[in-house]
Amino acid sequence: MADAQSEAPAQQELLEVEEPLLSNLDIFLFSLIAGLLIYWVTFRKKPEPIPEFKKLDAPAPPSRETSFMEKMKKTGRNIVVFYGSQTGTAEEFANRLSKDAQRYGMKGMAADPEEYDMAELSRLSEIDNSLAIFCMATYGEGDPTDNAQDFYDWLQEGEADLDGLNFAVFGLGNKTYEHYNAMGKYVDKRLEELGAKRVFDLGMGDDDANLEEDFVSWREQFWPAICEHFGVEATGEESSIRQYELKVEEDMNMNKVYTGEIGRIKSFENQKPPFDAKNPFLAPVTVNRKLNKGGDRHLMHLELDISGSKIRYESGDHVAVYPTNDTAIVSKLGDILGVDLDIVISLNNLDEESNKKHPFPCPTSYRTALTHYLDITHPPRTNVLYELAQYASDPKDQENMRKMASSSPEGKALYQSFVLDPCRNILAILEDIPSLKPPADHLCELLPRLQARYYSIASSSKVHPNSIHICCVVVEYETSTGRTNRGVATNWLKSKLPTDNGHKASVPMYVRKSQFRLPFKATNPVIMVGPGTGIAPFVGFIQERGWLKEQGKEVGETVLYYGCRHKSEDYLYEEELAEFQKSGVLTQLNVAFSRDQAQKVYVQHLLKNNKEEIWKQVHSNSAHIYICGDARNMARDVQATFHEMAEELGGLTHTQAVDYVKKLMTKGRYSQDVWS
C-alpha cells in the first residue's frame, strides 16, 4: 500500500511534462467512427418479411362443410341418403328418397360420401328418429363407384362402433355381371357387423331387367315400414315438391354463362391440366374412318390427339367422352314446350344449405342445358312421369301417368308397354300425350344428367403416347312407334370428322383407370377373347406385346379369339391383325365368322376346338385370360366353356370347376371388360 502511494506523484509529473496523447482531430475521427458503428448496430437493415398479398381477382373458396351431422342438426333433418353413383342413377334414387321423406313427415338430405366425414355415422343417433339410407351402385367387377371408394376403404379398415345407427340399403347392379350387387351386399353386411341396426331389408335392383321397377317396388314397401318403426304417420301430401326455383337472368354478362363446360366456366377456352371428370380435355380428332366394308351397320375407328395434355394411359384403360344431344331433338322440345331456348336461366336450390346449388351448371340457356347437360333420349323414369302428371289437362292422361309410377301390376305393365318396349323418350311422350304441357324449368329439373360414355382404349401408350384410339359401332334402330332412335354418343362421334369447315373437330374426354391389365411378366401367355368391338383393348395389348419384343424382351404366347358376322363385311382391323401375325407378335389368330355358314359359329366354339392347348396354357403355363364384349351372352358362354374344360381336362366336379375359374379371377388371371 505504501509503494503505491509513493508512485503516484511521479506519474503526475510525467503527465504534466508529455504532449497530449489524442489531438482534437483524433477525437473527432474517433467520435465519427464510434457514431457510425452505433448507427450501423442500431439501424442496420433487417431481413424484410415477405408481404402477404390478397388475391383480388380470385377470392378464396369457401371452406366446404364436411360434417353432415352439423348440417342435419342446423336444418332439422333426420334422414340422410348417401349414394355411390357412377352414371348418376344411384344419385337420382337418393334424391327421390330424400324428397319422399317430406311426404312422410320427416326431412331428408341426399349426400355424396366423398364430400363428408363418414366416421360421423357413429354420432347419427344423437338425432332423434334418425336414419341413414345407402343407395350403392356396383361398378365393374364388384368394385365401389369412384365417389364411394373412400367410404368402402373406411368400412374395410375401420372398426367404428355404429351401435345406435339405423340403416337401410338399396343396391344397384346387373345380373349379367359375375359380382351382382356386390357393393350393396357388402355395405349392408358390414354396417351390421359394426353394430348398426338394419331397419329394412336390403333392396337389389337389376339393370339387366328393370331397375326402375325394382326400386319402385322396394320404395313402396320401405316407407310404410319406416313409418311403423318410428311411429309416425304419412302426411298424405302427394303433391309435387319442387327442389329448384327458376330465375330468368336479365342482361347477363355472357362471359359468366355456361356454354357446355362440365366444371369451371370457360374451361374449354382456357384448358388447364390435370384433366378429369370435372375438367375434360378437348382432344382434336385426327382420324375418323369406317372399319367395316359392308353391311347395314357403321363401325368406326377414331383417333384423339392428347399432345400437350399431360394425360397418361395404359393399355386396358377406358376413355370417357362427353357427348352432346341431337340439335333436331332439342329444337323440337323447344317447340313443343313453347319456350325460347336461348333465354338465360338459373335453377337455384330452394334448400340453401344444400351442397348442390343447381341441377346442372348455371346460369345457362335452355338450349345449352338440353344439348349438353340433360339426358333427353333415354325413356324417362317413373318419378318423372309422376311429377309431370299434374300438367296434363286430360284427367285420363293424369291417371295413366300416375298409374305408371306405381308398383301395382297394372301400373308396371303400362309403364313397360307404353314407355320401355317402344323406347319412348321425353319428346315422344310429349308428342303422344298432347294434353301434357309442363313448364320447361320443371322438366329440366326432373330430367337426369347426360353422362359421359366409356370406351375401351384401342391403342397402347407405348406405341401411341400422344394418341388415344376408339373403336365403336353406331347405334341406330327403329322403334315400334315408327320412330328412329339414335345412340347419343356414337352418332355424335360419327359426325366428328378431323376437319369440319376448316375447324378441327374435338371431343371433351378424360381417362379412367382400369384393372384390365397385361400380365406383369411379359413371358406369361395371354389368351384374348373379344368378338365385335370387344377387340378394342386387344389391339392395344397386341401393339404393346409387339413393342416389348422390339425392346428385346422375351414375350409369351399371344393368342386372340375374335368373332364377327361376315368376313367380307365386318372383319375389324383385318389388315392390322394379319400384319401382327406375320411379324410373329400374334402367335395365334382364331376368327369365328358367325353368319358365313348355315350353322352359326361363335368364339366359344373355337375355344372348345382348341381346349387341350388352352387348358395346358392356363393350368401349366400360367396364362392370363381376357374377355371383352357382351356380358349377357358371350361372356357367360365363354365362362361356361372354361368350366367345361376344367371338368373334362382337369378332372374337376362342376362346383370345383366354378371355384377354379373364380380363383383365376381373384389372382387377376381371368379378367373381364364387359357391358350389357
Side-chain angles (χ1 to χ4, degrees), residues 198-301:
R198 183 188 298 103
V199 294
F200 193 68
D201 292 340
L202 167 68
M204 290 199 286
D206 179 14
D207 200 29
D208 184 49
N210 190 333
L211 185 60
E212 175 71 12
E213 186 178 305
D214 295 336
F215 176 68
V216 168
S217 298
W218 180 83
R219 174 174 159 250
E220 287 209 353
Q221 295 170 57
F222 169 77
W223 282 114
I226 296 307
C227 288
E228 187 179 339
H229 179 83
F230 289 129
V232 298
E233 287 185 21
T235 59
E237 189 183 323
E238 288 297 317
S239 62
S240 170
I241 300 167
R242 290 294 300 266
Q243 194 175 347
Y244 299 93
E245 64 178 349
L246 171 69
K247 183 187 176 192
V248 176
E249 306 284 2
E250 308 279 0
D251 303 322
M252 192 74 194
N253 178 348
M254 295 311 285
N255 286 324
K256 294 180 178 177
V257 176
Y258 282 90
T259 57
E261 305 93 333
I262 305 301
R264 179 174 52 87
I265 202 161
K266 298 292 175 191
S267 60
F268 287 163
E269 290 176 26
N270 183 17
Q271 293 255 279
K272 290 178 186 172
F275 297 106
D276 55 26
K278 291 175 183 171
N279 181 35
F281 175 64
L282 273 182
V285 178
T286 55
V287 174
N288 184 344
R289 63 184 171 93
K290 189 177 180 182
L291 282 171
N292 52 318
K293 302 178 184 75
D296 55 4
R297 297 184 302 160
H298 184 102
L299 295 111
M300 57 189 173
H301 171 90

Side-chain angles (χ1 to χ4, degrees), residues 386-639:
Y386 181 86
E387 297 268 357
L388 293 182
Q390 62 185 304
Y391 302 115
S393 55
D394 184 335
K396 186 67 181 165
D397 289 339
Q398 273 198 32
E399 184 191 336
N400 282 336
M401 290 176 74
R402 290 205 171 103
K403 190 185 288 178
M404 282 190 271
S406 76
S407 62
S408 70
E410 193 186 354
K412 288 177 182 177
L414 185 59
Y415 180 66
Q416 186 72 40
S417 63
F418 184 75
V419 179
L420 296 181
D421 291 344
C423 300
R424 274 188 174 91
N425 59 30
I426 192 63
L427 175 61
I429 282 170
L430 290 169
E431 286 174 339
D432 293 346
I433 306 179
S435 89
L436 181 60
K437 301 287 181 190
D441 63 295
H442 199 177
L443 181 66
C444 289
E445 173 181 325
L446 293 169
L447 290 174
R449 283 291 295 268
L450 181 60
Q451 299 293 328
R453 302 310 203 255
Y454 299 96
Y455 298 96
S456 303
I457 295 176
S459 53
S460 163
S461 59
K462 302 288 192 294
V463 181
H464 299 283
N466 294 315
S467 183
I468 283 177
H469 301 180
I470 296 174
C471 165
C472 60
V473 58
V474 176
V475 176
E476 188 172 316
Y477 59 94
E478 190 168 307
T479 72
S480 58
T481 64
R483 294 178 171 93
T484 299
N485 279 6
R486 295 181 176 87
V488 176
T490 53
N491 281 275
W492 171 76
L493 285 171
K494 182 184 175 184
S495 70
K496 292 283 179 182
L497 303 173
T499 50
D500 185 11
N501 296 329
H503 298 289
K504 276 191 173 179
S506 59
V507 169
M509 53 73 68
Y510 68 95
V511 167
R512 187 171 72 185
K513 296 295 172 189
S514 163
Q515 300 302 313
F516 201 69
R517 289 279 184 266
L518 278 168
F520 182 72
K521 287 184 182 175
T523 51
N524 283 111
V526 298
I527 298 165
M528 304 170 288
V529 184
T533 56
I535 194 173
F538 302 139
V539 174
F541 279 13
I542 298 163
Q543 285 177 3
E544 189 143 326
R545 302 276 273 191
W547 179 85
L548 288 166
K549 283 190 88 162
E550 284 174 9
Q551 306 305 304
K553 300 268 172 69
E554 187 187 342
V555 177
E557 294 271 312
T558 305
V559 178
L560 175 65
Y561 285 84
Y562 171 64
C564 60
R565 295 177 182 182
H566 301 281
K567 186 178 192 300
S568 60
E569 284 185 8
D570 54 357
Y571 187 174
L572 308 184
Y573 299 108
E574 182 179 3
E575 294 78 15
E576 289 92 331
L577 292 174
E579 195 57 43
F580 284 131
Q581 194 174 22
K582 186 179 172 185
S583 66
V585 175
L586 193 55
T587 48
Q588 205 182 115
L589 174 61
N590 307 278
V591 189
F593 303 106
S594 63
R595 302 182 187 182
D596 273 353
Q597 59 284 312
Q599 186 90 13
K600 286 189 178 173
V601 176
Y602 297 116
V603 284
Q604 58 266 31
H605 298 134
L606 301 188
L607 289 167
K608 286 175 186 174
N609 292 346
N610 297 338
K611 59 189 175 187
E612 285 86 2
E613 172 62 22
I614 292 169
W615 180 251
K616 180 187 168 190
Q617 294 285 19
V618 173
H619 195 62
S620 306
N621 299 341
S622 299
H624 285 233
I625 303 159
Y626 299 92
I627 319 294
C628 183
D630 162 50
R632 189 176 285 115
N633 300 308
M634 182 277 300
R636 197 177 275 172
D637 291 344
V638 166
Q639 197 166 318

Side-chain angles (χ1 to χ4, degrees), residues 632-650:
R632 189 176 285 115
N633 300 308
M634 182 277 300
R636 197 177 275 172
D637 291 344
V638 166
Q639 197 166 318
T641 303
F642 278 100
H643 292 158
E644 287 170 24
M645 279 184 213
E647 288 178 55
E648 186 184 338
L649 302 170

Side-chain angles (χ1 to χ4, degrees), residues 304-309 311-313 460-461 463-468:
L304 308 178
D305 184 2
I306 55 169
S307 303
S309 67
I311 289 173
R312 301 284 176 266
Y313 73 96
S460 163
S461 59
V463 181
H464 299 283
N466 294 315
S467 183
I468 283 177

Side-chain angles (χ1 to χ4, degrees), residues 118-148:
M118 296 303 283
E120 286 196 330
L121 282 172
S122 60
R123 292 179 49 212
L124 194 60
S125 57
E126 293 172 16
I127 296 172
D128 290 339
N129 285 357
S130 59
L131 171 67
I133 310 171
F134 298 84
C135 289
M136 308 306 292
T138 298
Y139 165 63
E141 295 304 300
D143 302 317
T145 58
D146 292 346
N147 78 310

Side-chain angles (χ1 to χ4, degrees), residues 4 14 21 71 100 122 203 275 306 322 385 433 465 556 578 604 654:
L14 274 169
L21 288 171
K71 183 171 282 190
D100 281 346
S122 60
F275 297 106
I306 55 169
Y322 282 101
L385 300 178
I433 306 179
Q604 58 266 31
H654 180 69

